[in-house]
Amino acid sequence: MARNSSRAQVVRTEATELQQRLDFEAAIDTIVADLVVQGPASPWAQLPSEGPVTVDGRTLHVAISSEAGRLDLNSGDIATIDRALQGLGAAGSDRAAFRTAIEGTRADGKRFMGFSDAAPILALLHSLPCPARWFTLYSGLTQPDETQTDDELARAMGRTGSSGFGRQPMKPGTPLRLNLQHPDGSSLQTIIRVGGPNRPYDVLHWARSIQC
């Protein structure tokens, strides 16, 4: 009896997780379809953006921001990254260890292929809450796009004029970070690039929880 009860619980859990994934995917598909059909007129095309998406009567909350406004661990200018970390309040010892690790990675000709690869480096920033919030692996930019940069990061970088930009039009091909909250309490963070060569979007990152 206990074995049957345990197996039934496993089946229920698997069914719940499958439904969550289907809902997350449907919400993303809905947003991408709106972006493709409406283009700049889509409410999701103004970044950052957030709002509800209803899937079969279940309403998910979605927040979207641009990866172009973040510091790129692979291609970002190291001095710019260090200045931003100082402005964000990272301790000097953390910044020094972080800079050494980044320089070593690049000297070896390596790239971070995913946030799991970058986790040990980001963990060096002990004094900075949730450092992954400020970083990307996918923009390919040496400097964050100031029109897409979060106000707090803009101020940390000394861009005092950036706080007036507000919401800005999404630039074609820019990777987007989506944080999705399901009504049952589960969450998803994904990074996508709209307009892949063989499908409406490419998934660059998929994590079944939102760190920050």
Side-chain angles (χ1 to χ4, degrees):
M1 182 66 70
R3 181 180 300 175
N4 290 340
S5 177
S6 176
R7 177 56 185 166
Q9 181 59 47
V10 169
V11 171
R12 285 193 295 270
T13 299
E14 290 175 345
T16 297
E17 292 177 349
L18 175 59
Q19 186 62 67
Q20 291 168 348
R21 182 180 182 93
L22 292 173
D23 288 349
F24 287 135
E25 291 177 345
I28 296 168
D29 290 345
T30 298
I31 291 169
V32 170
D34 196 73
L35 287 168
V36 170
V37 172
Q38 296 201 57
S42 169
W44 302 106
Q46 299 292 318
L47 302 177
S49 61
E50 62 179 299
V53 177
T54 300
V55 178
D56 292 337
R58 295 176 292 278
T59 300
L60 291 74
H61 183 267
V62 184
I64 306 179
S65 57
S66 171
E67 292 297 279
R70 294 180 164 86
L71 302 160
D72 196 304
L73 277 176
N74 285 318
S75 57
D77 176 71
I78 293 179
T80 299
I81 292 174
D82 185 66
R83 183 171 66 252
L85 291 175
Q86 182 179 20
L88 289 168
S93 57
D94 288 2
R95 287 168 35 226
F98 186 80
R99 179 168 186 151
T100 297
I102 294 295
E103 290 173 337
T105 300
R106 295 185 182 182
D108 291 338
K110 297 179 180 178
R111 293 177 58 84
F112 299 104
M113 304 306 295
F115 277 100
S116 58
D117 293 341
I121 299 288
L122 293 172
L124 296 172
L125 298 171
H126 305 286
S127 55
L128 193 62
C130 198
R133 170 185 174 187
W134 310 113
F135 287 95
T136 184
L137 309 176
Y138 309 108
S139 76
L141 301 175
T142 58
Q143 304 274 347
D145 182 339
E146 65 179 14
T147 68
Q148 304 288 311
T149 302
D150 176 275
D151 285 352
E152 186 176 352
L153 180 58
R155 288 191 294 270
M157 297 172 63
R159 297 178 177 176
T160 54
S162 296
S163 60
F165 282 116
R167 299 178 71 211
Q168 294 292 312
M170 181 186 77
K171 296 183 178 180
T174 298
L176 304 175
R177 183 173 302 196
L178 284 69
N179 289 338
L180 298 94
Q181 295 279 356
H182 197 279
D184 68 5
S186 60
S187 62
L188 171 76
Q189 183 177 88
T190 186
I191 298 172
I192 65 172
R193 192 189 307 272
V194 178
N198 300 310
R199 48 192 174 275
Y201 62 92
D202 293 314
V203 176
L204 307 176
H205 168 73
W206 185 279
R208 282 299 307 267
S209 64
I210 300 174
Q211 299 300 320
C212 48

